[in-house]
Amino acid sequence: MAVLYGLILITIFYTLISASLAELVSSIPSSGGVYHWASVTAGPKYGRVVGWYAGFLNLCGWLLSAASISSTLGTELVALYQLSHPEVEWKSWQVFIAYQMVNWICCCIVIFANRHLPLINKIAFYLSMGGLFVTILVLVIMSRGRHASDNFVWKEYTDLTGWNNDGLCFILGLINAAFAVGTPDCQSHVAEEIPEPEKNVPKGIMIQIGTSFITAFAYLVALFYSINDITLVLDSQSRFPTSEIYRQATGSTSGALGLTAVLFLATFPTLIGTLITGGRTFWTLSRDNAAPFGDFFTEISPTFGSPLRATIAVSAVTTCLGAIQVGSTTAFQALIGSYIVLSTLSYAGAILPHVLTGRKTIVPGPFHLGKAGFAINVISLLYIAVTVVFFCFPFAMPVEAGNMNYTSVIVSGFVFLITVWWFVHGTGNYEGPKYYKEAAKKLADSGSAVSELE
């Protein structure tokens, strides 16, 4: 119940965030995404420092996204092996090894198959949609006669966290839905590589949030109706409860093995997309002399036609983040929690100054929110403020070293490093994104109310 209704609630808020970002990318189509938008919306006085934090928070968010998806894929691989070898006991190092394998395989695909990425994207689409259709069909047909009740799926609520507070438990559980639909800025990072980005990227952002909700909701309903013993799901030896649900739905280990394999194939391309986005984000920061060793990482490979060095750097950091997987039983939650907090903070870095300056620092593009824009922006910011706090709460009580929520530690660590690098390098060497100067000139030529941008 909490997951389904939580998905509906989160989708509403992320639709508002998506609309806010779509308006900005329509005005400023740039591969820097929120990094460039924040630099412009904050104005010439604060644009440099606000853009700095927004850019690096967004980059860190994508690093955590790559880590969380690698963790998901690694867990799926271990679950596949355990379904075939039930005598094998689950160990965290197994997931760590699988994590590193998928991370570097996807990195190689992004680097060496850059010219084939459109084809890979089409294949990924058919794998995802085909896998979804097949899975839902199998779950619905094979679970007949032993599926869950309507009451179990839509009304029952059980809090096993130890908080003894249903409202707080529900809010903490929203992280599931936020991870499912919370990537509205990803398409903006390829804005400089597609035709008419001021029109096509906003369309893509809004279509993405709609399809994310529809597909996720349909899948979850079919999945939850397939449960006939929730205790076995929660105590799954593989630490991947979905495979146990598949086993209950099909009534066989081979059926669970097949559906888990389909899920892995549908999930795998998302890591490719994440590394593409993360690599281009880091490349943009390097191009503007913000990232460490910018001259080195800004190089585009003449052989492969991609930011090879920047992509490898993103995968290398993702490798290091995988160490969290070994030391904590709540590592996955910490990874996705940190990703969501860092990414939404970067969105706030672009939206908040847009609101504070009266939404007058940009030249409206084809996608413009008009008079409703102010309310949409404010509600988006309120959602971000609330969830950033609650997603740092412990997942279970009592809190121990093994089950604590490391999100606040990870986020604080990244913010500290970003601040140190600002004083070491940014204050004396960073001038702001190159696109910022173009946007400023565009505003001045258009006779914008913010004449200081001249």
Side-chain angles (χ1 to χ4, degrees):
M1 186 196 80
V3 175
L4 291 173
Y5 295 135
L7 179 62
I8 296 172
L9 181 64
I10 285 294
T11 300
I12 293 172
F13 286 113
Y14 264 96
T15 299
L16 300 180
I17 293 175
S18 297
S20 299
L21 299 184
E23 181 183 45
L24 292 173
V25 74
S26 182
S27 174
I28 312 171
S30 163
S31 60
V34 293
Y35 158 58
H36 282 186
W37 308 333
S39 299
V40 175
T41 58
K45 185 175 182 180
Y46 301 106
R48 199 165 67 101
V49 64
V50 173
W52 175 277
Y53 275 92
F56 275 107
L57 286 172
N58 191 251
L59 172 63
C60 292
W62 282 107
L63 290 172
L64 269 301
S65 176
S68 59
I69 295 173
S70 297
S71 177
T72 301
L73 290 167
T75 305
E76 289 173 357
L77 280 178
V78 173
L80 281 169
Y81 186 81
Q82 286 192 313
L83 284 169
S84 304
H85 303 81
E87 72 281 0
V88 176
E89 184 181 356
W90 184 93
K91 297 290 184 182
S92 58
W93 62 264
Q94 298 166 345
V95 177
F96 177 75
I97 292 174
Y99 171 112
Q100 302 301 346
M101 288 172 54
V102 296
N103 173 35
W104 286 104
I105 288 172
C106 289
C107 179
C108 289
I109 292 173
V110 173
I111 292 172
F112 301 124
N114 182 64
R115 292 181 175 86
H116 303 291
L117 288 179
L119 174 62
I120 293 173
N121 189 52
K122 289 181 180 179
I123 294 173
F125 173 78
Y126 291 120
L127 278 175
S128 180
M129 292 298 101
L132 175 74
F133 179 76
V134 169
T135 300
I136 291 178
L137 204 61
V138 171
L139 291 177
V140 171
I141 293 174
M142 297 195 70
S143 64
R144 284 182 178 178
R146 57 176 182 271
H147 59 71
S149 65
D150 293 339
N151 191 63
F152 171 80
V153 174
W154 300 103
K155 296 180 180 179
E156 284 186 11
Y157 188 94
T158 305
D159 177 6
L160 302 178
T161 64
W163 278 101
N164 297 320
N165 186 317
D166 289 351
L168 180 59
C169 181
F170 177 81
I171 293 175
L172 295 179
L174 293 177
I175 197 170
N176 295 289
F179 185 62
V181 301
T183 58
D185 71 305
C186 65
Q187 298 183 57
S188 68
H189 297 284
V190 291
E192 297 176 20
E193 303 173 55
I194 62 173
E196 296 187 292
E198 68 278 0
K199 295 180 180 178
N200 290 325
V201 176
K203 288 179 184 177
I205 289 174
M206 300 312 296
I207 290 173
Q208 177 188 325
I209 190 71
T211 54
S212 294
F213 170 73
I214 293 170
T215 54
F217 193 78
Y219 172 72
L220 288 173
V221 170
L223 191 71
F224 292 156
Y225 268 109
S226 302
I227 298 173
N228 53 65
D229 190 336
I230 188 64
T231 303
L232 289 177
V233 173
L234 296 175
D235 296 335
S236 174
Q237 180 188 351
S238 68
R239 304 292 178 92
F240 189 65
T242 309
S243 60
E244 172 58 28
I245 299 176
Y246 287 162
R247 192 192 64 78
Q248 293 183 18
T250 61
S252 67
T253 300
S254 58
L257 189 66
L259 289 180
T260 304
V262 169
L263 182 60
F264 176 82
L265 291 174
T267 310
F268 186 81
T270 63
L271 182 56
I272 297 174
T274 301
L275 292 178
I276 291 172
T277 303
R280 272 125 176 102
T281 303
F282 184 54
W283 172 79
T284 303
L285 290 167
S286 300
R287 179 183 66 180
D288 296 334
N289 194 29
F293 309 105
D295 292 338
F296 177 80
F297 289 113
T298 195
E299 187 73 24
I300 296 292
S301 170
T303 304
F304 303 109
S306 66
L308 183 148
R309 296 173 181 176
T311 304
I312 291 176
V314 169
S315 276
V317 176
T318 302
T319 294
C320 298
L321 291 171
I324 302 173
Q325 190 75 50
V326 180
S328 170
T329 57
T330 57
F332 178 69
Q333 291 93 326
L335 291 174
I336 66 172
S338 301
Y339 153 63
I340 293 165
V341 169
L342 287 165
S343 61
T344 52
L345 283 175
S346 73
Y347 303 157
I351 299 172
L352 180 59
H354 191 35
V355 171
L356 294 178
T357 54
R359 294 171 41 83
K360 297 177 181 178
T361 53
I362 65 170
V363 176
F367 185 93
H368 185 54
L369 298 177
K371 294 181 179 179
F374 184 82
I376 291 173
N377 294 161
V378 170
I379 295 173
S380 300
L381 291 169
L382 290 174
Y383 163 81
I384 292 171
V386 171
T387 52
V388 161
V389 174
F390 280 106
F391 287 169
C392 291
F393 275 41
F395 298 109
M397 297 294 287
V399 180
E400 300 173 355
N403 69 358
M404 75 169 286
N405 186 351
Y406 289 93
T407 298
S408 58
V409 177
I410 295 172
V411 172
S412 299
F414 275 123
V415 171
F416 175 75
L417 292 175
I418 293 169
T419 302
V420 170
W421 185 239
W422 167 255
F423 287 107
V424 170
H425 175 80
T427 52
N429 300 284
Y430 172 69
E431 297 181 358
K434 296 176 181 179
Y435 198 92
Y436 174 88
K437 297 174 182 178
E438 298 172 15
K441 186 177 184 302
K442 180 180 178 182
L443 277 171
D445 293 341
S446 69
S448 170
V450 189
S451 56
E452 309 96 279
L453 279 176
E454 289 189 18

